[in-house]
């Protein structure tokens, strides 16, 4: 069953169950023309966002998905996470005449195959770390013994942000490479990428693309490590702030000319019509900005951090991307405020953790504060409980980062669940004072 192309923009579906999708829904509901937003499947907090409703349906059940989208008269679908994008949900929905924000599987390959993305960058002359692609123990031994040390080891495919290692010795480099080739990440590790280790601050840049043109969202900086002072294991992200003062306009225009525009041109050359957000994970090295990774989706928690800064026109811009008619000069910002986000996670994350703990919310309401749920659900008694590693994000806006983060941490003191953990130094690069005594 194929639907007629819709011209109205009233009912939206967002695929995904994280904080990213909740923050997108929150930014979109502000537009008065939007009537209803369905989160598929959403989480324990999505239902509290105005106009939002969870739909507990498996997007892999294609017939049911199409039937449901048609019966709810959905005008526009936003696909949040990388897995459905890589699996071709965008291709499928477009084949059924839906307007979709999120690339097809060909464009999603920029994230789903790191070695493909590296060859793409090499072809388009886009600055990135040197790399070697290996798929056997023999090849790995040869490269590791001859390439300059240290090397960054990466599983080629999707690994929920856990497939990157920076070992301290050559022995450990070989050991982890062997483990990945031998199946640590299943098929995602059939190919391993060994990369030159580059240095510098990292920033996240988001370009909304319509297949030809793009507009930029404000830049953000994420905090990937689990412990304060950027120690411990890599996570999906423990907090973020936006915009990043380290990025001058001159540097941003270099990034546009040397990285963003060549990426879009190369996509066009390859006949890949990329309609969605292109996420550039960059490192600002002393030799200039270099691409660490591409993602085919919004960053989490960067998205939660940036969404409160968006103009009510935001949903129309996403829709224009889907339809391929962006002007390239649309205004996205509604404020000159800055935004900060702190993630509260479950004890043990990013390794093993327990779920099912009730969450209590006991804080004064402040203006410019949003709580976006990530890993939460509602139990049979109707209580909100923890249901994931990263549980929720507290996002605050202010005239400066000190005031934004002071409010965020004040709110966090009033949120509790068994084993709650959060970093106390989020935004340390942009705050003047961050001594804190909390939970
Ligand atoms: P990725 O999942 O590719 O973004 O990698 C996760 C993290 O590993 C990045 O945010 C960087 O901190 C680090 N990383 C990845 N590649 C490199 C590299 N070539 N040199 C230095 N650090 C890297
Ligand atoms: N915050 C990093 C990511 O979403 O990949």
């Amino acid at each position: 069953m194929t639907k007629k192309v819709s011209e109205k923009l009233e009912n939206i579906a967002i695929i995904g169950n994280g904080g990213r999708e909740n923050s997108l829904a929150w930014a979109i509901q502000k537009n008065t023309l939007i009537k209803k937003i369905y989160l598929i499947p959403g989480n324990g907090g999505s239902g509290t966002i105005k106009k939002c409703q969870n739909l507990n349906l498996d997007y892999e059940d294609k017939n049911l998905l199409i039937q449901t989208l048609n019966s709810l008269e959905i005008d526009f679908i936003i696909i949040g996470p990388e897995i459905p994008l890589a699996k071709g949900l965008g291709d499928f929905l477009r084949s059924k005449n839906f307007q979709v924000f999120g690339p097809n599987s060909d464009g999603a390959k920029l994230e789903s195959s790191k070695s493909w993305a590296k060859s793409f960058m090499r072809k388009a002359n886009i600055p990135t770390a040197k790399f070697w692609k290996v798929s056997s123990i023999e090849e790995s031994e040869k490269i590791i013994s001859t390439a300059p040390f240290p090397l960054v080891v990466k599983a080629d495919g999707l690994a929920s942000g856990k497939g990157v290692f920076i070992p301290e010795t050559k022995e450990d480099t070989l050991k982890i490479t062997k483990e990945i080739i031998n199946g640590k990440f299943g098929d995602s590790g059939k190919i391993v990428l060994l990369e030159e280790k580059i240095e510098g601050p990292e920033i996240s840049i988001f370009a909304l693309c319509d297949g030809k043109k793009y507009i930029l969202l404000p830049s953000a900086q994420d905090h990937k490590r689990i412990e304060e002072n950027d120690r411990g294991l890599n996570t999906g992200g423990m907090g973020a702030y936006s915009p990043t003062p380290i990025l001058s306009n001159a540097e941003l225009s270099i990034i546009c000319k040397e990285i963003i525009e060549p990426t879009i041109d190369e996509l066009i050359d390859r006949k890949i019509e990329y309609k969605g957000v292109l996420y550039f994970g960059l490192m600002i090295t002393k030799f200039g900005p270099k691409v660490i990774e591409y993602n085919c989706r919004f960053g989490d928690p960067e998205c939660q951090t940036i969404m409160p800064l968006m103009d009510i026109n935001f949903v129309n811009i996403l829709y224009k991307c889907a339809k391929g008619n962006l002007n390239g000069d649309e205004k996205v910002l509604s404020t000159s405020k800055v935004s900060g986000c702190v993630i509260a996670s479950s004890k043990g994350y990013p390794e093993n953790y327990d779920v099912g703990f009730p969450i209590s919310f006991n804080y004064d309401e402040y203006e410019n504060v949003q709580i976006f749920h990530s890993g939460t659900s509602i139990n049979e008694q109707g209580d909100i409980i923890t249901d994931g590693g990263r549980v929720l994000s507290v996002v605050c806006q202010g005239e400066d980062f000190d005031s934004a983060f002071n409010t965020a941490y004040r709110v966090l003191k009033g949120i509790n669940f068994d084993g709650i953990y959060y970093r106390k130094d989020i935004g340390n690069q942009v705050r003047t004072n961050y001594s804190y005594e909390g939970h």
Side-chain angles (χ1 to χ4, degrees):
M1 187 174 23
T2 304
K3 78 191 272 297
K4 283 214 311 254
V5 179
S6 169
E7 284 308 323
K8 64 180 174 62
L9 182 58
E10 292 174 354
N11 299 324
I12 315 273
I14 303 181
I15 310 282
N17 66 352
R20 169 182 44 214
E21 288 76 24
N22 278 355
S23 67
L24 285 165
W26 182 88
I28 289 171
Q29 58 75 26
K30 288 204 272 184
N31 188 307
T32 49
L33 296 178
I34 300 303
K35 289 202 171 136
K36 191 91 193 168
I37 305 170
Y38 297 92
L39 286 117
I40 305 176
N43 61 37
S46 325
T48 62
I49 303 171
K50 278 188 203 145
K51 305 180 190 175
C52 289
Q53 184 184 324
N54 286 356
L55 276 186
N56 195 7
L57 116 88
D58 176 7
Y59 67 80
E60 304 240 30
D61 185 341
K62 299 277 168 53
N63 284 336
L64 181 62
L65 178 65
I66 291 299
Q67 232 175 52
T68 311
L69 296 172
N70 278 327
S71 70
L72 295 172
E73 297 188 22
I74 297 298
D75 306 307
F76 182 34
I77 303 158
I78 298 167
I79 304 175
E82 62 278 18
I83 292 178
L85 289 166
K87 284 184 168 173
L89 186 60
D91 313 55
F92 172 71
L93 292 171
R94 286 190 175 97
S95 76
K96 300 290 177 193
N97 265 348
F98 282 97
Q99 298 290 356
V100 180
F101 183 87
N104 284 342
S105 56
D106 52 3
K109 231 171 156 188
L110 283 175
E111 175 165 359
S112 65
S113 170
K114 288 182 190 287
S115 62
W116 189 85
K118 280 293 204 181
S119 308
F120 178 102
M121 285 187 263
R122 179 142 69 187
K123 160 88 191 336
N125 219 0
I126 292 167
T128 186
K130 288 199 195 84
F131 69 99
W132 297 264
K133 185 175 149 183
V134 296
S135 49
S136 72
I137 310 288
E138 297 72 50
E139 275 178 299
S140 323
E141 282 170 340
K142 204 167 130 206
I143 302 294
I144 293 167
S145 64
T146 53
F149 183 80
L151 287 169
V152 181
V153 183
K154 299 185 176 181
D156 182 56
L158 297 177
S160 309
K162 294 182 183 153
V164 176
F165 301 84
I166 311 184
E168 289 184 0
T169 62
K170 280 198 177 192
E171 291 68 43
D172 285 350
T173 311
L174 187 58
K175 184 165 170 263
I176 188 66
T177 307
K178 279 184 182 167
E179 282 175 23
I180 299 175
I181 289 177
N182 287 336
K184 188 178 171 73
F185 297 105
D187 282 354
S188 285
K190 276 190 167 164
I191 296 173
V192 172
L193 215 53
L194 297 168
E195 279 185 26
E196 164 201 22
K197 181 170 184 277
I198 54 177
E199 279 174 16
E202 288 181 53
I203 52 165
S204 308
I205 298 282
F206 301 94
L208 305 178
C209 306
D210 78 340
K212 295 182 279 303
K213 293 189 180 155
Y214 71 98
I215 56 169
L216 291 181
L217 294 183
S219 59
Q221 199 158 18
D222 179 17
H223 295 62
K224 288 225 161 93
R225 303 291 196 94
I226 187 72
E227 288 168 27
E228 272 130 42
N229 299 315
D230 296 326
R231 299 224 176 91
L233 293 174
N234 256 325
T235 69
M238 295 302 292
Y241 62 88
S242 174
T244 54
I246 61 162
L247 197 62
S248 67
N249 282 342
E251 267 170 330
L252 187 60
S253 76
I254 293 177
I255 290 171
C256 291
K257 295 246 150 17
E258 294 187 359
I259 294 175
I260 299 175
E261 285 156 25
T263 299
I264 294 174
D265 290 345
E266 181 65 21
L267 285 166
I268 293 171
D269 264 14
R270 293 179 185 225
K271 312 239 170 334
I272 296 175
E273 208 175 29
Y274 196 104
K275 293 175 168 173
V277 60
L278 251 172
Y279 164 162
F280 300 83
L282 305 179
M283 201 171 256
I284 311 299
T285 75
K286 61 180 179 194
F287 307 106
K290 293 192 178 187
V291 178
I292 288 277
E293 63 165 348
Y294 287 117
N295 291 313
C296 60
R297 52 170 174 88
F298 289 101
D300 183 334
E302 294 98 319
C303 191
Q304 293 94 305
T305 316
I306 293 171
M307 282 307 114
L309 306 176
M310 292 296 105
D311 187 80
I312 53 165
N313 191 34
F314 178 66
V315 64
N316 298 102
I317 297 175
L318 299 183
Y319 193 52
K320 280 178 160 190
C321 290
K323 293 208 293 185
N325 61 10
L326 206 58
N327 291 331
D329 60 359
E330 286 84 351
K331 170 175 165 295
V332 285
L333 286 180
S334 67
T335 169
S336 58
K337 288 197 171 82
V338 301
S339 186
C341 164
V342 183
I343 295 279
S345 61
S346 297
K347 183 176 164 197
Y349 174 78
E351 296 189 293
N352 297 335
Y353 52 83
D354 291 326
V355 297
F357 301 111
I359 309 175
S360 62
F361 296 90
N362 189 11
Y363 54 87
D364 295 329
E365 294 286 333
Y366 294 96
E367 241 187 280
N368 298 315
V369 174
Q370 305 80 33
I371 315 277
F372 294 123
H373 290 218
S374 299
T376 71
S377 59
I378 299 180
N379 67 11
E380 282 174 5
Q381 291 75 46
D383 304 321
I384 295 181
I385 54 170
T386 64
D387 198 13
R390 291 188 293 171
V391 175
L392 53 84
S393 40
V394 176
V395 187
C396 295
Q397 297 77 50
E399 296 305 326
D400 56 42
F401 286 110
D402 280 332
S403 75
F405 279 106
N406 285 344
T407 314
Y409 282 110
R410 206 157 45 213
V411 170
L412 264 166
K413 274 191 193 176
I415 298 179
N416 224 332
F417 55 84
D418 205 347
I420 185 170
Y421 169 80
Y422 50 90
R423 274 179 62 165
K424 314 295 185 297
D425 68 340
I426 300 298
N428 58 47
Q429 303 94 324
V430 287
R431 289 159 64 194
T432 51
N433 171 7
Y434 58 94
S435 65
Y436 174 80
E437 284 171 30
H439 287 96

